[in-house]
Amino acid sequence: MTTGDGSARDLRLVDTTLRDGSHAMAHQFTEANVRDTVRALDTAGISLIEVTHGDGLGGSTFNYGFSLVDERVLIKAAAEEARNATIAVLLLPGLGTVTDLRAAADLGAGAVRIATHCTEADVSTQHFTEARKLGLETVGFLMLSHMSEPGALAKQARIMVDAGCQCVYVVDSAGALILEEAGDRIAALVAEVGDTAQVGYHGHQNLSFGVANSVLAYRAGARQIDGSLVALGAGAGNSPTEVLAATFDRLGIRTGVDADVLMDACENIVKPYITRLPVMDRSSIVQGYAGVYSSFLLHAERAAERYQVPAHEILYRVGANKYVGGQEDMIIDIALQLAAEREGSTSFR
């Protein structure tokens, strides 16, 4: 494996600030935010930069939240700023379409990360086929990977790889995996796909294991690891790219990335535009504990404020009901149920 400048590397760090970070920003990135961040990441040596609405192509909707700026404008801007890095887009089958994918490729995207629930890889096959026809680098995301045991998850990975996926990810969307739980899933995928594809890991900080899990993922065979600057992402945020770069450097694992340049970007570019710093507060910790999709946090907080019920209680019930991405509207039902229960309890007293 080599970096963009031709030097060898052991691990590819991928940055998702401008996609997963969109959740924390309520999808309000400006074109200037994207241009400045891409330039900095590119300078630091990040070779794959993800840019879209938090829920991927076509995600700017009432259900998921509207973007401030059309994602096509942001993808084009990112592609114009990247000198060495490839711009990636996220696509959720059933939300983003093949037409959206073609448009993103025309705007300069060179990679697509196709995401499904961890048991539904079969819905991605046509999208991988089209992506390969377009000459795009292909990545598969098995979201909420904690909901599937290692062996079953590996079988889903095989479906994606057979469809044309070049790197398949264990995606800890809830930040629920703890140490060996992450490593064992990576090892199962590596054993299944062998040399036919790489394996990656995407972690969240809800239980504070994102970076530790990433190290164990590398040791189990993962060769692509996701992060976001200043941990900007859904829930308590993602594994911080700058911390990953420094950690792997300390471990003697070559990434081809300059951690000091990333830290400069955090302080001088990203922090000034962040409207909400990721934090391990009660609600985000509950997400990790209960296995709740990290992007549900803002939806739960809005419902909590509207119906005057605690956000963490909403999230506990979301976890108990095992809701998955795309069921954000069900959060309102839970909030209404909690409000009715509270009103009934008050009336009884």
Side-chain angles (χ1 to χ4, degrees):
M1 187 182 296
T2 59
T3 63
D5 61 6
S7 59
R9 72 175 174 217
D10 305 310
L11 173 68
R12 184 192 211 183
L13 290 183
V14 178
D15 189 84
T16 72
T17 306
L18 298 171
R19 197 282 300 171
D20 212 326
S22 183
H23 290 297
M25 292 286 292
H27 316 297
Q28 299 301 290
F29 281 124
T30 67
E31 183 176 338
N33 294 155
V34 169
R35 288 185 180 276
D36 292 344
T37 306
V38 168
R39 278 199 303 270
L41 291 168
D42 191 62
T43 300
I46 294 291
S47 63
L48 191 65
I49 302 170
E50 191 179 35
V51 182
T52 42
H53 182 281
D55 294 284
L57 297 174
S60 182
T61 61
F62 178 81
N63 196 38
Y64 295 103
F66 292 105
S67 298
L68 176 67
V69 178
D70 188 294
E71 65 185 7
R72 298 189 184 193
V73 173
L74 300 183
I75 293 165
K76 183 175 185 291
E80 289 173 350
E81 296 298 336
R83 296 293 176 264
N84 299 302
T86 298
I87 300 304
V89 295
L90 182 75
L91 187 149
L92 279 65
L95 181 60
T97 67
V98 168
T99 299
D100 293 325
L101 184 59
R102 291 175 186 144
D106 288 341
L107 292 168
V112 60
R113 286 143 70 92
I114 299 170
T116 76
H117 183 60
C118 61
T119 61
E120 299 175 356
D122 59 305
V123 304
S124 67
T125 55
Q126 65 173 315
H127 302 84
F128 281 117
T129 299
E130 182 61 25
R132 295 300 292 271
K133 287 180 182 177
L134 291 168
L136 298 175
E137 179 182 344
T138 53
V139 177
F141 258 35
L142 292 168
M143 297 189 295
L144 290 169
S145 287
H146 75 280
M147 289 187 171
S148 186
E149 293 304 311
L153 194 67
K155 289 181 172 61
Q156 295 294 309
R158 169 53 66 188
I159 293 171
M160 286 187 164
V161 171
D162 287 348
C165 173
Q166 295 166 301
C167 180
V168 61
Y169 266 67
V170 171
V171 181
D172 189 11
S173 316
L177 295 176
I178 299 176
L179 302 177
E180 289 81 7
E181 293 176 342
D184 289 349
R185 284 166 172 77
I186 293 290
L189 266 63
V190 171
E192 175 64 39
V193 304
D195 295 330
T196 59
Q198 288 190 338
V199 173
Y201 179 73
H202 175 102
H204 281 260
Q205 290 287 85
N206 296 337
L207 292 178
S208 196
F209 285 99
V211 175
N213 286 349
S214 295
V215 172
L216 290 180
Y218 172 79
R219 290 175 175 172
R223 290 300 175 262
Q224 297 196 39
I225 300 287
D226 281 9
S228 292
L229 295 176
V230 199
L232 191 65
N238 295 57
S239 310
T241 309
E242 67 277 12
V243 178
L244 290 171
T247 297
F248 284 116
D249 186 53
R250 278 286 306 273
L251 292 171
I253 297 165
R254 298 169 298 175
T255 64
V257 173
D258 190 322
D260 283 322
V261 174
L262 291 180
M263 286 185 273
D264 284 341
C266 290
E267 297 300 322
N268 301 316
I269 296 173
V270 179
K271 282 186 178 180
Y273 67 61
I274 290 179
T275 55
R276 173 197 177 99
L277 275 170
V279 62
M280 285 172 280
D281 59 9
R282 184 172 189 173
S283 292
S284 61
I285 294 168
V286 166
Q287 285 187 291
Y289 181 82
V292 176
Y293 198 47
S294 289
S295 67
F296 283 8
L297 179 61
L298 294 188
H299 296 276
E301 289 181 344
R302 293 185 191 113
E305 182 178 1
R306 181 175 180 182
Y307 298 105
Q308 295 299 295
V309 294
H312 69 273
E313 290 188 18
I314 294 174
L315 292 165
Y316 268 127
R317 294 206 183 181
V318 169
N321 292 338
K322 299 187 183 300
Y323 289 162
V324 301
Q327 293 182 301
E328 284 81 354
D329 56 326
M330 303 295 286
I331 290 172
I332 298 295
D333 292 339
I334 290 177
L336 286 168
Q337 181 182 10
L338 284 168
E341 289 172 5
R342 288 187 164 226
E343 183 177 346
S345 175
T346 302
S347 299
F348 178 77
R349 288 197 300 267

